Structure formats: C-alpha cells, structure tokens
Amino acid sequence: RETNFYTIQDPEDQNIIQRMLQTFSSENPDFQILEDILSDIKEHQKDKENRAASDGKYRPVSLLLAVLYRAISRIEQSDPGREISDIETGRDISEREDLVEFLASQWHLLKLVGHQLRKRIAGARKDELENILEFNRQVIAYKLNISTQSVPLAWVSELNQARNLSSVTNHCPDHVIILDHKQKTIILHIFGTRMFPTPSPLDIMMDLAGHTVPFLTGEGHAGLVWGARGVIAVAVPVLVEKMEENKDYQVIIAGYSLGGGIAQLLSLELQLGPSHNLLPANSSITTLAYGSPPVFTSRHSIPVIDSLVLIQNSDDLMSGVSLRTITDLLDRIRAIERLNIRRRILLKMAVTSGGKDGVVWGFLNKLIFDKNEEETAWKKVENAILNIPEGFSPYLHHLGNHFLVFERNKDKAQLKI
C-alpha cells in the first residue's frame, strides 16, 4: 500500500475519523469551519492524484522537502532578475539605532503589558473575572508608572463568553489601550495567540481559519477579519474618544502574531473603512506588526499603508504562511513524489551542493551516480514545481510599505536589517 504523509489510505480509518469529526462538529459548531477547510484541501489533492500515478515506492517527506529546497535555490540562482531592485539588504544595525531602539521599546512594552493582562485570567469564574481584570489593569498602570485612568481599556477574550459570545466569528482577542502623556502617544496593543498558561481555543481557531471572507475592498484571512471586527467594535470607540480628548497625540497600534495580522486589517479599516470618518482631522497613526502573517487580497490593487511597519525575525516563517502557501507546499512535494525519481538520485540532489562535494561524495558520484541522470532529474523537478496547478485559495498579502527583517550573523554578535 502506498504510504502518504497527509492523507489516510485505509477506508475504514477514514470512515471512523469522518464520524468523529461529524460528532465533534455537531457539538462544536466552530469546528465545522476547519472541517470545511480540510475538505477543500482533500478535494484539491484528489484532483491532483488523478493527474499522475505514483510507482508506489516510499520516499520520505524529509527527502522530498530537501530536494524542493535545493530546487528553489537553484531557480533563484539561475534567475537574478527575480531579485527586487529597490529592496535594501544587509544594512548594519548602527546605521539605524534610533529605529531599532523604538521598535525594541515597543516590543518589550507589548510583551510586558500582555503578560500582566493575562495573569490569573485563564479558568477564572464569571463572577470574579472583572475583578481580576481590574486588578491587572491597575498593576499595568503601576508598572508603567502611570495613573489607572491612563489605561482606559483592558480587554480579555473571556469577556466575550461572559456576554454569551463564544463563537470564533464574534471572538475579540486580548487588547489594551494606554495613554502615555509624557510621550504624547495613545497606544493600542493587540496580543498574539494565547498559549500560556492555558491555550485559548478560539485564538487558535482564529489562526487556523485561513480561508478568506469579504473585507472592505477585497478579502481577508477569515480568522483575522473576525478578530479585527471584534477589536473595531470594542476598541475603536475608546480609541476615538481618547484621540478627541488628546488631539495632538500620536497613535501607535502594535500587535504580534495573531495581533499583528489584526493590526494590519485594523489599519486598513481606519484608512478606508467606516471608522475613518470617526477619526479627528489630521490624525497620526503608526502601526507596528511583529511576526504577522499575510492578511489581504483583492481583485483590484492591493492597498499599501505607508505608516504600517512590518517587523520580522529572519528565522520566523510566519510572514509567508497562508492557506494558499501551505497547499502550494503540499502540491510541490506531491509533484516531486509523482516524478518517480529513484531515491538514490533524490538523495544525491538533496545532500550535495552541485559544486565541490568533498572526497566521499566525489567518490560516490563516480562510483554510483550518473551525472546526466541527475541533471535530467533537476530539470523535471524544476519544471514540476514551477507548474503546479492553480490552488483553490488566493494568495494573501501584507499591507505595509515597510518590511524589516532582522537577522544575526553566525556568531550572533551582529544584527542586520
């Protein structure tokens, strides 16, 4: 029986799992969203399986991934024109110390406030939730050396449940509004998926709901759109009120991960949506999205928000993750698998660089590997991964005009943007 890494081949196993999913979905309506997404992926992959036949031989996923990685590197090296000419790369950190200091201070503030906001919240009873939240709000103010009135809004998602709103479609993630009178700023923090001390199921569902739904002039990542609508309903009225009271203050919207994606869509709403009409004239709003996934697509041009800055660690893959890129990855792996290339050739393609391979691989090349066969295999692989059929989900995009990627060199001593 053919081994497959993301589908279950045994019909009996499939029927059992299908019945379990149906039972769970009936008890948890939100899970139907994920079941529909998985069904779309399954149908999409079924169409692919009808296009080509496998020889039935086992090829490890790790081996196929390694070949895919090498193939993409070869394509990029052979086509320098793919580089974007106006991107700045490799800038030494010393040239932008003021920028880095600002981004770092906002990041540390975001983490500090988020950690304190969520203390003792998980598992709290409805009758004690608001008291715990009020205590946390006071501690946030104390730690920031500001008055409690300077934290006009502190929201945790458990307040949704206290108001009998417990669906992912009306889920509003954790967020806080802070007034910094010394710096004349109003800060809206939107926090990432809550995993500690207890995971938030609806935060996780919001992450996984990667299909698209209508949002303003296009479509957005469904979970993030729902989260943005929740923040718009809860936070924007307070934000506008504080902007009216402090018209010379700058607004900073900062979020990470899930919160970063919501921050992007919120920025789009404040620029193009109905909320824009509520803002005082000449408002200054800067958005910082740390580790955010792509969020938006449109049949028209993709909006670009000049005051939105995306910040990414070079080792963090979140900036490219969407339902479409995941299915594209699966499609490319399957395309390589269906070429039925011999495993020893795949191994050679995966572990050697194509240049000087050292004494051992040099000997093996001469002894057991056919160079022409390898080159033929590379051509097949490159053609296959460049010509995967159209996916069922659209590519999503970031909305910021500035995308900063931070990278340390090998000895971790130097940081570059």
Side-chain angles (χ1 to χ4, degrees):
R1 189 176 69 188
E2 180 185 357
T3 301
N4 191 294
F5 67 96
Y6 56 84
T7 59
I8 299 170
Q9 296 299 314
D10 193 322
E12 184 177 350
D13 288 346
Q14 285 186 328
N15 292 334
I16 292 173
I17 290 178
Q18 190 64 33
R19 288 197 298 272
M20 290 174 62
L21 290 175
Q22 290 173 352
T23 301
F24 188 77
S25 296
S26 64
E27 298 174 357
N28 302 272
D30 284 337
F31 194 76
Q32 183 64 45
I33 296 169
L34 298 187
E35 187 179 356
D36 291 343
I37 293 173
L38 293 174
S39 295
D40 287 341
I41 294 175
K42 184 177 178 181
E43 288 300 315
H44 178 66
Q45 294 301 324
K46 187 183 294 183
D47 290 341
K48 297 280 191 306
E49 290 173 2
N50 293 333
R51 297 172 186 271
S54 168
D55 59 9
K57 293 182 179 179
Y58 174 66
R59 294 172 177 85
V61 179
S62 56
L63 179 58
L64 298 172
L65 276 170
V67 171
L68 175 59
Y69 174 80
R70 292 284 188 189
I72 292 173
S73 297
R74 282 170 56 98
I75 292 169
E76 289 176 345
Q77 292 171 9
S78 66
D79 186 7
R82 293 170 67 90
E83 294 294 329
I84 303 175
S85 60
D86 61 351
I87 286 183
E88 294 182 49
T89 59
R91 294 288 297 276
D92 189 274
I93 205 72
S94 61
E95 299 179 35
R96 299 184 175 185
E97 288 183 355
D98 55 341
L99 171 63
V100 174
E101 184 178 346
F102 170 71
L103 296 176
S105 66
Q106 291 299 320
W107 168 251
H108 289 300
L109 180 62
L110 187 64
K111 296 292 285 184
L112 183 151
V113 173
H115 176 72
Q116 182 58 51
L117 175 71
R118 291 168 165 176
K119 278 190 174 181
R120 300 171 55 222
I121 291 295
R125 300 193 309 268
K126 286 185 179 181
D127 61 336
E128 62 184 9
L129 177 61
E130 292 193 7
N131 289 335
I132 294 173
L133 184 58
E134 173 60 21
F135 177 80
N136 290 349
R137 185 175 77 95
Q138 293 178 16
V139 174
I140 289 170
Y142 174 79
K143 288 189 173 183
L144 299 181
N145 195 28
I146 58 178
S147 67
T148 306
Q149 290 72 27
S150 294
V151 187
L153 175 65
W155 175 277
V156 290
S157 56
E158 281 76 6
L159 292 173
N160 296 309
Q161 299 170 23
R163 292 164 171 76
N164 296 318
L165 301 174
S166 56
S167 169
V168 67
T169 57
N170 54 35
H171 179 62
C172 183
D174 305 346
H175 60 276
V176 166
I177 291 179
I178 296 169
L179 302 181
D180 184 346
H181 294 294
K182 290 183 179 179
Q183 300 295 327
K184 290 192 172 184
T185 56
I186 304 170
I187 304 170
L188 169 58
H189 282 164
I190 310 172
F191 303 105
T193 306
R194 191 198 302 174
M195 298 301 295
F196 300 100
T198 303
S200 167
L202 290 180
D203 277 7
I204 296 171
M205 285 283 292
M206 200 162 265
D207 286 323
L208 296 177
H211 61 294
T212 58
V213 295
F215 186 74
L216 297 178
T217 60
E219 295 185 342
H221 178 295
L224 299 177
V225 168
W226 296 329
R229 287 173 179 163
V231 174
I232 290 166
V234 174
V236 167
V238 180
L239 181 66
V240 170
E241 177 186 339
K242 297 308 171 185
M243 292 173 71
E244 289 284 1
E245 294 174 0
N246 305 276
K247 292 188 176 180
D248 58 337
Y249 281 31
Q250 180 185 7
V251 174
I252 296 176
I253 300 172
Y256 64 89
S257 189
L258 171 71
I262 292 173
Q264 288 200 64
L265 292 176
L266 176 58
S267 294
L268 189 62
E269 162 69 21
L270 294 176
Q271 186 173 90
L272 300 179
S275 299
H276 175 76
N277 298 326
L278 304 176
L279 300 178
N282 303 316
S283 300
S284 174
I285 301 176
T286 299
T287 301
L288 307 177
Y290 296 87
S292 169
V295 298
F296 187 80
T297 189
S298 175
R299 294 181 180 179
H300 313 291
S301 60
I302 303 298
V304 176
I305 303 173
D306 191 61
S307 59
L308 195 165
V309 181
L310 297 134
I311 306 100
Q312 198 80 19
N313 184 303
S314 61
D315 295 328
D316 188 352
L317 303 179
M318 185 57 66
S319 65
V321 174
S322 68
L323 184 59
R324 177 60 179 273
T325 56
I326 291 173
T327 54
D328 278 0
L329 174 64
L330 296 177
D331 289 346
R332 290 190 170 101
I333 294 173
R334 171 53 64 88
I336 296 173
E337 182 185 33
R338 292 292 180 176
L339 292 174
N340 298 330
I341 298 171
R342 287 188 290 177
R343 283 171 290 191
R344 65 183 181 88
I345 295 298
L346 289 174
L347 180 63
K348 169 65 167 65
M349 297 165 72
V351 302
T352 61
S353 63
K356 295 181 179 180
D357 298 327
V359 175
V360 175
W361 276 109
F363 174 74
L364 289 175
N365 284 342
K366 293 181 181 179
L367 184 65
I368 62 174
F369 290 125
D370 183 335
K371 187 67 176 177
N372 291 330
E373 186 176 7
E374 182 192 346
E375 286 303 319
T376 300
W378 275 125
K379 290 178 181 178
K380 289 181 179 179
V381 167
E382 291 168 7
N383 181 67
I385 66 175
L386 288 175
N387 292 283
I388 59 171
E390 186 73 14
F392 68 90
S393 179
Y395 289 112
L396 297 179
H397 304 269
H398 292 283
L399 300 173
N401 194 33
H402 310 282
F403 197 118
L404 306 180
V405 179
F406 287 80
E407 180 179 34
R408 289 194 181 275
N409 60 8
K410 291 183 179 179
D411 61 6
K412 307 293 183 182
Q414 190 178 27
L415 186 67
K416 287 188 175 182
I417 303 177

